[in-house]
């Protein structure tokens, strides 16, 4: 929905459950649980978790498992996936997982779906492929992504899907459902960072989220293409006009210098990722400040710093308002990427919590 002169910005949170060098997976999950409770307490609209695989710095591998955990520790904030990478999963499995989440937490579940694998090719093969009888690998057809998307929507609905069977099976009305008695359905969003996703979301009449935090390129064109091509969907609960928001990396601290220090480990990690260097857990601030990065990685670091929301509370709030006005969105999803200083309790992420708290004071 385009941002109006008198509209109030909604803030949400994206969480990859980052793992610092001082943390175990259990520590990282504890820190993210506290972060979700902070978002819940402060009135953030939604809290989404990502799907990434085989990455030392990311513990968010299974959105439905994380959503169930976080929903049990929060009371009001919407919980969702940012997103489920549909080519990695059978549509029925996704539909069942999220229909059950909606049944357990009615009105609080978002299903954000993406087309990217969320990992490297080897891991994607392990997730999606298996050996057929002839010894060759068999994969879901990524070109069939639009059909898989339709399958998930239909399977989660109360009516289910009528499955055509051969006449000799004598079952003319075989109905397949994600749950036996669905009353409500998760809200479906399509995620992307390309023109493909913008066009598909418009054609399907779905809400659309642009991954500005990841690419930062083509945001304006993708949102314009989505809005101009939007076709309302007749399905119940579907928006009758374009609905979109975008994601952005953010670190907010009491002063600009601290914010710049706290974002450095994440920027360096992205520099290593984009230049094909070995990856590890996210450094603590003091360790990152002692790192030397390659010239190519430094280009990524500098670009990421310019693209992110970084600074004091007032400055960061101004940056967010400007971002929302530029892209005409009423909601922005914050991806809090602050690391931590040495001797921080590993089960906490105080700088990430502070980012949410300081922004809330300015904008909520």
């Amino acid at each position: 929905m385009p941002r109006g002169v008198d509209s109030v910005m909604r803030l949400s949170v994206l969480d990859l459950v980052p793992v610092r060098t001082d943390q175990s997976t259990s520590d990282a999950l504890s820190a993210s649980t506290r972060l979700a409770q902070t978002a819940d307490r402060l009135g953030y609209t939604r809290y989404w978790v990502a799907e990434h695989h085989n990455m030392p710095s990311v513990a968010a591998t299974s959105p439905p498992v994380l959503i169930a955990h976080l929903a049990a520790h929060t009371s009001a904030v919407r919980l969702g996936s940012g997103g489920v990478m549909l080519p990695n999963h059978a549509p029925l499995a996704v539909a069942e997982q999220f229909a059950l989440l909606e049944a357990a937490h009615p009105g609080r579940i978002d299903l954000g779906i993406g087309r990217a694998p969320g990992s490297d090719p080897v891991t994607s093969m392990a997730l999606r492929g298996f050996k057929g009888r002839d010894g060759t690998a068999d994969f879901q057809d990524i070109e069939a992504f639009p059909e898989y998307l339709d399958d998930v929507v239909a399977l989660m609905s109360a009516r289910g899907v009528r499955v055509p069977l051969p006449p000799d099976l004598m079952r003319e009305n075989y109905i397949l459902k994600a749950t036996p008695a669905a009353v409500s359905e998760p809200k479906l969003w399509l995620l992307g960072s390309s023109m493909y996703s913008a066009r598909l979301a418009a054609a399907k009449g779905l809400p659309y989220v642009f991954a500005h935090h990841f690419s930062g390129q083509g945001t304006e064109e993708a949102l314009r293409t989505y809005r101009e091509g939007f076709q309302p969907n007749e399905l119940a609960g579907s928006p009758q006009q374009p609905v979109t928001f975008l994601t952005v990396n953010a670190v907010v601290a009491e002063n600009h210098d601290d914010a710049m220090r706290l974002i450095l480990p994440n920027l360096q990690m992205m520099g290593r990722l984009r230049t094909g260097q070995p990856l590890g857990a996210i450094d603590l601030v003091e360790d990152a400040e002692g790192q030397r990065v390659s010239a190519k990685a430094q280009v990524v670091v500098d670009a990421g710093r310019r693209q992110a929301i970084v600074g004091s509370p007032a400055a960061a709030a101004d940056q967010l308002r400007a971002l929302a006005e530029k892209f005409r969105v009423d909601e922005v999803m914050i991806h809090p990427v602050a690391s931590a200083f040495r001797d921080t309790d590993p089960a906490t992420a105080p700088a990430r919590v502070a980012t949410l708290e300081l922004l809330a004071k300015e904008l909520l």
Side-chain angles (χ1 to χ4, degrees):
M1 206 177 293
R3 184 170 173 81
V5 175
D6 298 322
S7 60
V8 177
M9 187 191 307
R10 294 186 296 272
L11 290 180
S12 294
V13 182
L14 173 65
D15 187 7
L16 274 61
V17 192
V19 182
R20 306 189 306 258
T21 54
D22 64 332
Q23 289 179 312
S24 65
T25 303
S26 180
D27 291 330
L29 289 170
S30 294
S32 281
T33 301
R34 289 181 170 89
L35 190 68
Q37 290 171 329
T38 300
D40 192 39
R41 170 174 56 84
L42 295 173
Y44 281 75
T45 300
R46 64 191 90 242
Y47 192 101
W48 283 8
V49 290
E51 178 187 342
H52 289 283
H53 301 279
N54 202 34
M55 295 182 67
S57 62
V58 176
T61 58
S62 179
V65 173
L66 283 170
I67 291 167
H69 170 74
L70 295 175
H73 288 82
T74 56
S75 61
V77 68
R78 294 188 66 91
L79 281 304
S81 56
V84 166
M85 301 296 104
L86 188 54
N88 293 339
H89 312 281
L92 177 57
V94 174
E96 287 181 334
Q97 290 161 357
F98 279 81
L100 280 174
L101 286 168
E102 175 67 19
H105 306 281
R108 292 186 61 201
I109 303 301
D110 292 333
L111 171 53
I113 289 180
R115 181 171 177 259
S119 190
D120 60 84
V122 175
T123 306
S124 296
M125 183 180 296
L127 283 165
R128 289 187 269 164
F130 60 90
K131 292 293 183 180
R133 291 183 179 180
D134 60 356
T136 60
D138 188 13
F139 302 96
Q140 287 199 65
D141 182 6
I142 197 168
E143 298 304 319
F145 176 75
E147 288 74 29
Y148 295 150
L149 192 63
D150 291 340
D151 289 343
V152 171
V153 174
L155 287 163
M156 290 191 303
S157 69
R159 67 184 181 282
V161 177
R162 186 183 303 275
V163 180
L165 296 175
D168 59 323
L169 292 182
M170 305 296 291
R171 294 290 299 275
E172 296 181 0
N173 294 306
Y174 191 94
I175 304 297
L176 187 60
K177 293 184 177 183
T179 61
V183 175
S184 59
E185 302 168 25
K187 184 170 182 178
L188 191 67
W189 297 77
L190 189 62
L191 283 58
S193 58
S194 68
M195 297 303 295
Y196 172 90
S197 59
R199 294 189 183 100
L200 182 60
K204 298 286 187 184
L206 292 173
Y208 178 55
V209 182
F210 189 83
H212 184 75
H213 78 283
F214 182 75
S215 76
Q217 302 295 320
T219 306
E220 188 168 10
E221 183 183 8
L223 294 180
R224 182 176 64 251
T225 297
Y226 166 70
R227 289 173 178 133
E228 291 177 351
F230 183 83
Q231 298 293 322
N233 195 315
E234 295 181 357
L235 292 175
S238 296
Q240 296 306 297
Q241 58 184 337
V243 176
T244 188
F245 63 82
L246 52 81
T247 58
V248 63
N249 293 330
V251 175
V252 184
E254 291 293 351
N255 61 72
H256 177 81
D257 290 344
D258 280 351
M260 293 295 286
R261 296 181 70 194
L262 286 161
I263 198 174
L264 182 62
N266 176 269
L267 294 173
Q268 290 182 349
M269 184 272 293
M270 290 304 300
R272 291 189 291 270
L273 175 66
R274 298 286 178 84
T275 56
Q277 299 178 49
L279 300 177
I282 296 175
D283 285 329
L284 296 171
V285 171
E286 293 88 346
D287 296 328
E289 290 174 332
Q291 293 282 343
R292 297 186 64 182
V293 300
S294 68
K296 289 183 178 180
Q298 188 61 47
V299 172
V300 177
V301 169
D302 293 340
R305 185 182 291 117
R306 290 191 298 269
Q307 181 183 319
I309 304 296
V310 189
S312 65
D318 286 344
Q319 293 171 48
L320 274 173
R321 292 188 189 99
L323 187 74
E325 291 292 344
K326 178 179 180 180
F327 295 115
R328 297 192 299 125
V329 295
D330 294 315
E331 181 174 341
V332 176
M333 180 167 274
I334 302 301
H335 178 212
V337 296
S339 183
F341 293 105
R342 197 168 290 140
D343 298 325
T344 297
D345 179 352
T348 68
R352 298 176 72 215
V353 168
T355 292
L356 300 193
E357 290 178 335
L358 294 171
L359 282 176
K361 288 180 180 179
E362 296 287 332
L363 296 170
L364 295 181

